[in-house]
Amino acid sequence: MTPPIHELTDRARDVFRIVVDSYLATGAPVGSRTIAQLSGLNLSPASIRGVMQDLEEAGLLAAPHVSAGRMPTETGLRLFVDGMMHAMEPSAQERATIEAQADTAGPVEEALAGTAAALSGLSASAGVVLVPKREPVLRQVSFVPLSGTRALAVLVGTDGSVENRVLETPGASPAALVEAGNYLTARLSGLTLSEARARILREIGQERAELDATARALVEAGLAMWSEDGGQRPVLIVRGQARLIDPAAAHDLDRVRQLLDELEGKEEIARLLASTQDGDASRIFIGSENKLFALTGSSVIAKPVRALDGRVVGVVGVIGPVRLNYARVVPMVDFTAATLTRLLG
């Protein structure tokens, strides 16, 4: 069982902090002689080795090789993050870089991508942003026949966005397709998809929809498909994947290959990020604490983005090596979340 931080002696805490700080800075194990030369602890290498041995037996340090120095275990990093880390607020330049990307004029997705890229560059990790699929405000809906049993449903938003879906339309004539499209366009322009669906279903339920049975079926199927699909496809933006291949990982091609494969599985990443939405503080997953990156030695820092009324409107974070500079990156993620609140709220 891992001892709480207050049960470590002052000497053990000092040595442990030096090992962690050095490892997070270099990614390399730290030897007792190096600690004796750089720490100013006034301890001999032999005394330091004894303390490091105690920390290893407590599960906080490990030696990758017999003759190597020590490095923190995932358990040790968790103890450090929870009990010893001193957060470093982003500099004025770092804040300006993030804010400049978030304030970019144009589509919201471009601002999100820019923010993820800025976070990636500043943290030397992969930047990730997850937001729910934004509902378009409808301008036009049409159905284009593809074959005897299928049609292309085309939704045009007031922002110029266009989305297409292939819809099964058994027995629908070209006239029914036109009728259904005209009906939707006439009644739904200016509404969001959820608003449009509620209105149309209400009209159909009250039998106020002037549609024949085939056109009515098309309208119901098209709205149901878009509503379900839109709710299940959050926007996930990942930038800076190459930053995850640090020198240590480059020597392990299997680990690199698996890490990149995991980043391609955006649904799994989205699910992991979505799990952080309950709560206000940043969530930190160190190595195997999250199953997705358990075998590749990666950590995740994520924080929910809330609107001014408290609703969760997204998640922002970074994916990086276990030796992330947590003290610097956690406040950076916090600031990015606050910046995106202004953008998405």
Side-chain angles (χ1 to χ4, degrees), residues 81 98 167 299 309:
V81 167
I98 294 169
L167 184 66
S299 289
D309 62 3

PDB file of all heavy atoms in Angstrom, residues 81 98 167 299 309:
ATOM      1  N   VAL A  81       1.653  14.345  -7.910  1.00  0.00           N
ATOM      2  CA  VAL A  81       0.647  15.246  -8.463  1.00  0.00           C
ATOM      3  C   VAL A  81      -0.378  15.629  -7.408  1.00  0.00           C
ATOM      4  O   VAL A  81      -0.796  16.792  -7.312  1.00  0.00           O
ATOM      5  CB  VAL A  81      -0.036  14.590  -9.688  1.00  0.00           C
ATOM      6  CG1 VAL A  81      -1.295  15.353 -10.087  1.00  0.00           C
ATOM      7  CG2 VAL A  81       0.934  14.528 -10.856  1.00  0.00           C
ATOM      8  N   ILE A  98      -3.098  31.204 -26.673  1.00  0.00           N
ATOM      9  CA  ILE A  98      -4.348  30.441 -26.615  1.00  0.00           C
ATOM     10  C   ILE A  98      -5.537  31.324 -26.974  1.00  0.00           C
ATOM     11  O   ILE A  98      -6.406  30.936 -27.757  1.00  0.00           O
ATOM     12  CB  ILE A  98      -4.519  29.828 -25.215  1.00  0.00           C
ATOM     13  CG1 ILE A  98      -3.429  28.777 -24.954  1.00  0.00           C
ATOM     14  CG2 ILE A  98      -5.905  29.200 -25.051  1.00  0.00           C
ATOM     15  CD1 ILE A  98      -3.351  28.309 -23.516  1.00  0.00           C
ATOM     16  N   LEU A 167     -30.744   7.630 -47.422  1.00  0.00           N
ATOM     17  CA  LEU A 167     -31.952   7.219 -46.718  1.00  0.00           C
ATOM     18  C   LEU A 167     -32.668   6.137 -47.518  1.00  0.00           C
ATOM     19  O   LEU A 167     -32.784   6.226 -48.744  1.00  0.00           O
ATOM     20  CB  LEU A 167     -32.873   8.436 -46.559  1.00  0.00           C
ATOM     21  CG  LEU A 167     -34.164   8.266 -45.760  1.00  0.00           C
ATOM     22  CD1 LEU A 167     -33.836   7.981 -44.303  1.00  0.00           C
ATOM     23  CD2 LEU A 167     -35.018   9.522 -45.884  1.00  0.00           C
ATOM     24  N   SER A 299      -0.243   9.774 -20.595  1.00  0.00           N
ATOM     25  CA  SER A 299      -1.124  10.375 -19.606  1.00  0.00           C
ATOM     26  C   SER A 299      -2.109  11.313 -20.288  1.00  0.00           C
ATOM     27  O   SER A 299      -1.860  11.809 -21.390  1.00  0.00           O
ATOM     28  CB  SER A 299      -0.309  11.161 -18.567  1.00  0.00           C
ATOM     29  OG  SER A 299       0.408  10.280 -17.720  1.00  0.00           O
ATOM     30  N   ASP A 309     -24.069  29.291 -17.946  1.00  0.00           N
ATOM     31  CA  ASP A 309     -25.162  28.780 -17.113  1.00  0.00           C
ATOM     32  C   ASP A 309     -24.830  27.444 -16.459  1.00  0.00           C
ATOM     33  O   ASP A 309     -25.686  26.828 -15.824  1.00  0.00           O
ATOM     34  CB  ASP A 309     -26.448  28.647 -17.933  1.00  0.00           C
ATOM     35  CG  ASP A 309     -26.300  27.653 -19.092  1.00  0.00           C
ATOM     36  OD1 ASP A 309     -25.223  27.037 -19.219  1.00  0.00           O
ATOM     37  OD2 ASP A 309     -27.263  27.505 -19.865  1.00  0.00           O
TER      38      ASP A 309
END
